[in-house]
C-alpha cells in the first residue's frame, strides 16, 4: 500500500477484513428520539468501531484501482483523506473501565425494560452477490449500538467523552467535504492519461460503491454530531425530519433551481414550474437529501427547455412536478418538454462524466462539499441523485421521448426500514 507506513497499512488491511454494519433510517430515529448521555456513549462506541472499518474498505479499494487510476494526483489526495481519518479514529482514546462500568450499570438489563428497534430489510438496490459477499458473523446492531441506557446520573467523564468524540467527527466531516469533486477531478486526470472520453464499467461500479459509502459515512457522522447538540426543532431527530413536508422542500428546490437558471442564462423570462402536491403530505426523511435530488432533476429540465427554445424566447413550456402518495413509496415525477434524450444516449445518462457541458478543472485547494460544488460540468447530477435515492431504499428512473421531453420518476421509500446498501 503506497504512501503510508507498513504498520498503518497492516492495520488498514486488518480492519478491511471485517464486514460493515448497516443501519436503517427508522432505526436511527427510534434510537435518537430521547437519547441520554449513556446512550450517546453507546453510539460513540459503535461509530468508533464501525467508521474505521468503512474507511479501511475504501482505502483498500482506492489503492487497488487498475490502469494507474490509483496513481492520479487527485485520487491520491482522496486516499490520504481517508487514511488520515482512519488513523485519527483508531488512535482516539478508548472508553475507560470506570465509564464502562457506570454505563453498564445504567443499561436496562431486563428484556421487558429494553426498547427494541424494528428489524431492517435488505435494500432493493443491493444485488444478491453484495448481500452474500461475506460469511463473517455480524453481531446484531441491537447489541452493538442501540442499548437502552437509563437517564440516570452518570460520571461527568461520559459527557466529556461524547463532546471530545464529536469534535473529532466534525473534523473528519470537514476534511471529507471535497471528496466528491476531488475524486471527479481524479477521473478527469485518468481520462486524459488514457486519451478517452468515457469510463468503463469497472470504474463506473467503483464510483457507485465509493459514493454510496461516502453518503453512509456522512450520514452516521452527521447524525451523531446533531444528536449531541441541543434539539431546536421537535420534528427533527439529528439530521432526520420525522415530518418532512414534501411540498415545502420541493418548492424550495423549485425556487433555487429557477434562480440558478435565470442567473446562468441571464434570463428575463424564467421557465415556469408547476407543482401538484398535497400540502399536508409528510414522511420521515432527510430534507437535505430530498432537496438535493429534486434540485438536480429540475436543473436538468430547466437547462433542456432553455437550450431547446433559446435564451431569448418569449415563453417556455411549463415544467410539471407531480407528487403521488402510495402505501410503500412517495413518488415525485418531473416532466419537461425539453426535446428528450435519444434512445442511444439513455444508457449513458447514469455514467459519471457523461455531460454535454464543458468539464471544469478544479483548483487543487477546492474544499466545498457536493451540495455546493460546481458539478454541472462533471456529469454527476443524475448518478449521485440516484445513489441518494437508493441509500434509503428508493430509486430514480428516466423515461424519455426524443423530440418531445423527459419524465423523471423519483421513488422514495416511506417505510424507512431498508438497511444501507453497503459493499
Amino acid at each position: 500500500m503506497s504512501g503510508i507506513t507498513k504498520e498503518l497499512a497492516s492495520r488498514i488491511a486488518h480492519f478491511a477484513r471485517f464486514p460493515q454494519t448497516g443501519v436503517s433510517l427508522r432505526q436511527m430515529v427510534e434510537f435518537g428520539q430521547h437519547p441520554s448521555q449513556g446512550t450517546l456513549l453507546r453510539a460513540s462506541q459503535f461509530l468508533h468501531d464501525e467508521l474505521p472499518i468503512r474507511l479501511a474498505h475504501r482505502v483498500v479499494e482506492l489503492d487497488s484501482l487498475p490502469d494507474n487510476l490509483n496513481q492520479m494526483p487527485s485520487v491520491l489526495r482522496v486516499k490520504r483523506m481517508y487514511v488520515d481519518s482512519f488513523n485519527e479514529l483508531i488512535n482516539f482514546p478508548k472508553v475507560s473501565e470506570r465509564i464502562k462500568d457506570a454505563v453498564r450499570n445504567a443499561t436496562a438489563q431486563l428484556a421487558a425494560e429494553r426498547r427494541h428497534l424494528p428489524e431492517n430489510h435488505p435494500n432493493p438496490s443491493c444485488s444478491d452477490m453484495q448481500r452474500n459477499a461475506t460469511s463473517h458473523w455480524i453481531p446484531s446492531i441491537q447489541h452493538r449500538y442501540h442499548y437502552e441506557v437509563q437517564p440516570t446520573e452518570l460520571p461527568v467523564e461520559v459527557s466529556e467523552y461524547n463532546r471530545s468524540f464529536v469534535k473529532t467527527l466534525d473534523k473528519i466531516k470537514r476534511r471529507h467535504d471535497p471528496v466528491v469533486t476531488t475524486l471527479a477531478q481524479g477521473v478527469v486526470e485518468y481520462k486524459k492519461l488514457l486519451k478517452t472520453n468515457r469510463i468503463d464499467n469497472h470504474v463506473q461500479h467503483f464510483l457507485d460503491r465509493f459514493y454510496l459509502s461516502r453518503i453512509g459515512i456522512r450520514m452516521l457522522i452527521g447524525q451523531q454530531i446533531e444528536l449531541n447538540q441541543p434539539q431546536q426543532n421537535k420534528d427533527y431527530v439529528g439530521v432526520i425530519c420525522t415530518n418532512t413536508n414534501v411540498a415545502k422542500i420541493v418548492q424550495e428546490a423549485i425556487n433555487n433551481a429557477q434562480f440558478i437558471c435565470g442567473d446562468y442564462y441571464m434570463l428575463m423570462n424564467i421557465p415556469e414550474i408547476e407543482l401538484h402536491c398535497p400540502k399536508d403530505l409528510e414522511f420521515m426523511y432527510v430534507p437535505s437529501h430530498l432537496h438535493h435530488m429534486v434540485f438536480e432533476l429540475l436543473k436538468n429540465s430547466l437547462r433542456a427547455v432553455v437550450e431547446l427554445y433559446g435564451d431569448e424566447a418569449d415563453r417556455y413550456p411549463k415544467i410539471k412536478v407531480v407528487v403521488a402518495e402510495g402505501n410503500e413509496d412517495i413518488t415525485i415525477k418531473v416532466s419537461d418538454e425539453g426535446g428528450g434524450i435519444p434512445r442511444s444516449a439513455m444508457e449513458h445518462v447514469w455514467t459519471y462524466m457523461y455531460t454535454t457541458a464543458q468539464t471544469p478543472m478544479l483548483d487543487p485547494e477546492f474544499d466545498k462539499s457536493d451540495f455546493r460544488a460546481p458539478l454541472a460540468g462533471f456529469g454527476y447530477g443524475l448518478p449521485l441523485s440516484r445513489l441518494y435515492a437508493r441509500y434509503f431504499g428508493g430509486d430514480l428512473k428516466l423515461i424519455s421521448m426524443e423530440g418531445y421531453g423527459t419524465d423523471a420518476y423519483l421513488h422514495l421509500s416511506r417505510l424507512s426500514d431498508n438497511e444501507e446498501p453497503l459493499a
Side-chain angles (χ1 to χ4, degrees), residues 162-176:
N162 286 334
R163 280 195 296 271
S164 179
F165 189 65
V166 162
K167 283 184 181 178
T168 298
L169 292 180
D170 188 60
K171 181 180 176 183
I172 290 171
K173 188 169 182 284
R174 292 175 188 277
R175 175 186 294 136
H176 288 238

Side-chain angles (χ1 to χ4, degrees), residues 178-196:
V179 161
V180 170
T181 44
T182 306
L183 191 55
Q185 186 63 54
V187 177
V188 172
E189 295 161 1
Y190 171 71
K191 287 168 63 180
K192 284 191 172 184
L193 176 71
L194 298 185
K195 296 182 173 60
T196 181

